[in-house]
Short mmCIF file of all heavy atoms in Angstrom, two decimals:
data_model
loop_
_atom_site.label_atom_id
_atom_site.label_comp_id
_atom_site.label_asym_id
_atom_site.label_seq_id
_atom_site.Cartn_x
_atom_site.Cartn_y
_atom_site.Cartn_z
N GLU A 1 162.02 117.53 67.04
CA GLU A 1 162.44 116.86 65.84
C GLU A 1 161.25 116.57 64.91
O GLU A 1 160.08 116.50 65.38
CB GLU A 1 163.15 115.55 66.15
CG GLU A 1 164.48 115.83 66.89
CD GLU A 1 165.31 114.56 66.96
OE1 GLU A 1 164.73 113.44 67.06
OE2 GLU A 1 166.55 114.65 66.95
N GLY A 2 161.50 116.33 63.67
CA GLY A 2 160.48 116.01 62.68
C GLY A 2 160.09 117.20 61.89
O GLY A 2 160.49 118.32 62.11
N ASN A 3 159.20 116.95 60.93
CA ASN A 3 158.70 118.06 60.07
C ASN A 3 157.71 118.90 60.86
O ASN A 3 157.16 118.44 61.87
CB ASN A 3 158.10 117.52 58.79
CG ASN A 3 156.91 116.61 59.08
OD1 ASN A 3 155.93 117.08 59.60
ND2 ASN A 3 156.98 115.37 58.64
N PRO A 4 157.51 120.11 60.43
CA PRO A 4 156.60 121.00 61.23
C PRO A 4 155.21 120.49 61.51
O PRO A 4 154.64 120.83 62.48
CB PRO A 4 156.54 122.28 60.33
CG PRO A 4 157.81 122.23 59.54
CD PRO A 4 158.06 120.78 59.27
N ALA A 5 154.72 119.61 60.65
CA ALA A 5 153.34 119.09 60.86
C ALA A 5 153.30 117.96 61.86
O ALA A 5 152.24 117.62 62.35
CB ALA A 5 152.77 118.64 59.54
N ASP A 6 154.46 117.37 62.15
CA ASP A 6 154.49 116.21 63.02
C ASP A 6 155.73 116.25 63.91
O ASP A 6 156.51 115.31 63.91
CB ASP A 6 154.42 114.95 62.23
CG ASP A 6 154.28 113.69 63.13
OD1 ASP A 6 153.71 113.83 64.24
OD2 ASP A 6 154.77 112.63 62.77
N ARG A 7 155.94 117.34 64.63
CA ARG A 7 157.16 117.45 65.44
C ARG A 7 156.98 116.66 66.74
O ARG A 7 155.87 116.61 67.33
CB ARG A 7 157.47 118.91 65.72
CG ARG A 7 158.13 119.59 64.58
CD ARG A 7 158.61 120.98 64.99
NE ARG A 7 159.53 121.53 64.01
CZ ARG A 7 160.07 122.78 64.10
NH1 ARG A 7 159.76 123.50 65.12
NH2 ARG A 7 160.87 123.16 63.14
N LYS A 8 158.10 116.13 67.22
CA LYS A 8 158.09 115.43 68.46
C LYS A 8 158.98 116.13 69.46
O LYS A 8 160.10 116.52 69.13
CB LYS A 8 158.61 114.02 68.29
CG LYS A 8 157.79 113.16 67.34
CD LYS A 8 158.40 111.75 67.18
CE LYS A 8 157.56 110.90 66.22
NZ LYS A 8 158.15 109.57 66.00
N ASP A 9 158.45 116.28 70.66
CA ASP A 9 159.26 116.89 71.72
C ASP A 9 160.27 115.82 72.14
O ASP A 9 160.08 114.63 72.02
CB ASP A 9 158.37 117.23 72.92
CG ASP A 9 157.48 118.38 72.66
OD1 ASP A 9 157.86 119.26 71.84
OD2 ASP A 9 156.39 118.46 73.22
N ARG A 10 161.40 116.32 72.66
CA ARG A 10 162.45 115.45 73.13
C ARG A 10 162.36 115.46 74.70
O ARG A 10 162.40 116.50 75.35
CB ARG A 10 163.84 115.93 72.67
CG ARG A 10 163.94 115.77 71.16
CD ARG A 10 165.30 116.19 70.65
NE ARG A 10 166.36 115.38 71.26
CZ ARG A 10 167.68 115.56 70.94
NH1 ARG A 10 168.04 116.48 70.08
NH2 ARG A 10 168.58 114.79 71.56
N PRO A 11 162.21 114.27 75.30
CA PRO A 11 161.87 114.16 76.72
C PRO A 11 162.90 114.85 77.62
O PRO A 11 164.13 114.67 77.43
CB PRO A 11 161.81 112.69 76.96
CG PRO A 11 161.46 112.10 75.66
CD PRO A 11 162.18 112.99 74.65
N ASN A 12 162.42 115.56 78.58
CA ASN A 12 163.27 116.16 79.66
C ASN A 12 162.42 116.37 80.92
O ASN A 12 161.22 116.24 80.92
CB ASN A 12 163.84 117.49 79.16
CG ASN A 12 162.80 118.46 78.81
OD1 ASN A 12 162.28 119.24 79.64
ND2 ASN A 12 162.42 118.52 77.49
N ALA A 13 163.11 116.68 81.98
CA ALA A 13 162.43 116.80 83.29
C ALA A 13 163.21 117.81 84.14
O ALA A 13 164.36 118.20 83.83
CB ALA A 13 162.30 115.46 83.99
N LEU A 14 162.57 118.22 85.24
CA LEU A 14 163.19 119.20 86.20
C LEU A 14 162.82 118.72 87.61
O LEU A 14 161.69 118.39 87.91
CB LEU A 14 162.65 120.60 85.93
CG LEU A 14 163.34 121.74 86.72
CD1 LEU A 14 164.80 121.77 86.39
CD2 LEU A 14 162.67 123.06 86.45
N TRP A 15 163.85 118.65 88.48
CA TRP A 15 163.75 118.08 89.83
C TRP A 15 164.15 119.14 90.86
O TRP A 15 164.92 120.07 90.54
CB TRP A 15 164.64 116.88 89.98
CG TRP A 15 164.32 115.79 88.97
CD1 TRP A 15 164.76 115.71 87.66
CD2 TRP A 15 163.52 114.64 89.17
NE1 TRP A 15 164.28 114.61 87.07
CE2 TRP A 15 163.47 113.90 87.94
CE3 TRP A 15 162.77 114.13 90.21
CZ2 TRP A 15 162.82 112.71 87.80
CZ3 TRP A 15 162.06 112.96 90.10
CH2 TRP A 15 162.11 112.26 88.89
N TYR A 16 163.78 118.88 92.10
CA TYR A 16 164.21 119.75 93.19
C TYR A 16 164.28 118.99 94.48
O TYR A 16 163.61 117.93 94.66
CB TYR A 16 163.33 121.02 93.33
CG TYR A 16 162.08 120.78 94.13
CD1 TYR A 16 161.97 121.24 95.45
CD2 TYR A 16 160.97 120.11 93.59
CE1 TYR A 16 160.83 121.05 96.20
CE2 TYR A 16 159.81 119.95 94.35
CZ TYR A 16 159.74 120.38 95.66
OH TYR A 16 158.60 120.22 96.38
N MET A 17 164.94 119.55 95.46
CA MET A 17 165.03 119.05 96.84
C MET A 17 165.22 120.26 97.77
O MET A 17 165.75 121.27 97.42
CB MET A 17 166.24 118.10 97.04
CG MET A 17 166.07 116.74 96.40
SD MET A 17 167.54 115.65 96.77
CE MET A 17 167.35 115.47 98.56
N THR A 18 164.74 120.10 99.00
CA THR A 18 165.02 121.06 100.10
C THR A 18 165.58 120.28 101.29
O THR A 18 165.40 119.05 101.39
CB THR A 18 163.74 121.79 100.49
OG1 THR A 18 162.81 120.88 101.09
CG2 THR A 18 163.08 122.51 99.32
N GLY A 19 166.25 121.01 102.19
CA GLY A 19 166.81 120.32 103.34
C GLY A 19 167.20 121.32 104.39
O GLY A 19 167.06 122.56 104.23
N THR A 20 167.77 120.75 105.45
CA THR A 20 168.11 121.59 106.65
C THR A 20 169.61 121.60 106.91
O THR A 20 170.05 122.50 107.60
CB THR A 20 167.41 121.06 107.87
OG1 THR A 20 167.74 119.70 108.12
CG2 THR A 20 165.89 121.16 107.74
N ASP A 21 170.36 120.68 106.44
CA ASP A 21 171.75 120.57 106.72
C ASP A 21 172.61 120.89 105.48
O ASP A 21 172.55 120.13 104.52
CB ASP A 21 172.12 119.19 107.26
CG ASP A 21 173.51 119.05 107.74
OD1 ASP A 21 174.31 120.06 107.57
OD2 ASP A 21 173.94 118.00 108.25
N ALA A 22 173.31 121.98 105.49
CA ALA A 22 174.09 122.37 104.30
C ALA A 22 175.18 121.40 103.98
O ALA A 22 175.74 121.39 102.86
CB ALA A 22 174.65 123.78 104.50
N ASP A 23 175.56 120.53 104.91
CA ASP A 23 176.63 119.56 104.69
C ASP A 23 176.13 118.37 103.85
O ASP A 23 176.91 117.56 103.42
CB ASP A 23 177.20 119.05 106.01
CG ASP A 23 177.96 120.12 106.78
OD1 ASP A 23 178.44 121.09 106.12
OD2 ASP A 23 178.00 120.06 108.01
N THR A 24 174.84 118.32 103.66
CA THR A 24 174.27 117.17 102.91
C THR A 24 173.63 117.60 101.60
O THR A 24 172.67 117.00 101.16
CB THR A 24 173.24 116.45 103.79
OG1 THR A 24 172.19 117.34 104.10
CG2 THR A 24 173.85 115.94 105.08
N LEU A 25 174.12 118.64 101.00
CA LEU A 25 173.58 119.06 99.70
C LEU A 25 173.75 117.92 98.71
O LEU A 25 174.78 117.24 98.61
CB LEU A 25 174.31 120.27 99.21
CG LEU A 25 174.12 121.61 99.97
CD1 LEU A 25 174.99 122.68 99.42
CD2 LEU A 25 172.66 122.02 99.92
N PRO A 26 172.73 117.71 97.86
CA PRO A 26 172.79 116.55 96.95
C PRO A 26 173.76 116.86 95.76
O PRO A 26 173.84 118.00 95.30
CB PRO A 26 171.33 116.45 96.38
CG PRO A 26 170.80 117.82 96.56
CD PRO A 26 171.42 118.39 97.78
N THR A 27 174.43 115.88 95.23
CA THR A 27 175.22 116.01 94.04
C THR A 27 174.48 115.45 92.87
O THR A 27 174.91 115.70 91.74
CB THR A 27 176.57 115.26 94.23
OG1 THR A 27 176.31 113.87 94.50
CG2 THR A 27 177.39 115.84 95.35
N ASP A 28 173.40 114.75 93.08
CA ASP A 28 172.57 114.22 91.98
C ASP A 28 171.21 113.82 92.59
O ASP A 28 171.16 113.10 93.57
CB ASP A 28 173.29 112.97 91.38
CG ASP A 28 172.60 112.48 90.08
OD1 ASP A 28 171.59 113.14 89.70
OD2 ASP A 28 173.08 111.51 89.51
N MET A 29 170.17 114.25 91.93
CA MET A 29 168.80 113.91 92.41
C MET A 29 168.22 112.79 91.57
O MET A 29 167.20 112.20 91.92
CB MET A 29 167.87 115.12 92.33
CG MET A 29 168.33 116.29 93.21
SD MET A 29 167.07 117.59 93.02
CE MET A 29 168.17 119.02 93.08
N VAL A 30 168.80 112.49 90.42
CA VAL A 30 168.23 111.51 89.48
C VAL A 30 169.05 110.21 89.40
O VAL A 30 168.54 109.16 89.08
CB VAL A 30 168.14 112.18 88.05
CG1 VAL A 30 167.42 111.25 87.11
CG2 VAL A 30 167.44 113.49 88.12
#
């Protein structure tokens, strides 16, 4: 957002998990 000389990024993120039991897959990490 903003004019080309002063644009602001819009905050975002990326998460991950690993595990051993397929019955406990996460439905939300955040």
Side-chain angles (χ1 to χ4, degrees):
E1 296 191 329
N3 61 62
D6 186 28
R7 281 189 166 177
K8 296 178 180 178
D9 291 329
R10 296 181 58 180
N12 59 85
L14 188 61
W15 303 82
Y16 84 103
M17 288 181 67
T18 63
T20 58
D21 185 355
D23 294 333
T24 61
L25 293 175
T27 58
D28 190 359
M29 299 182 215
V30 185

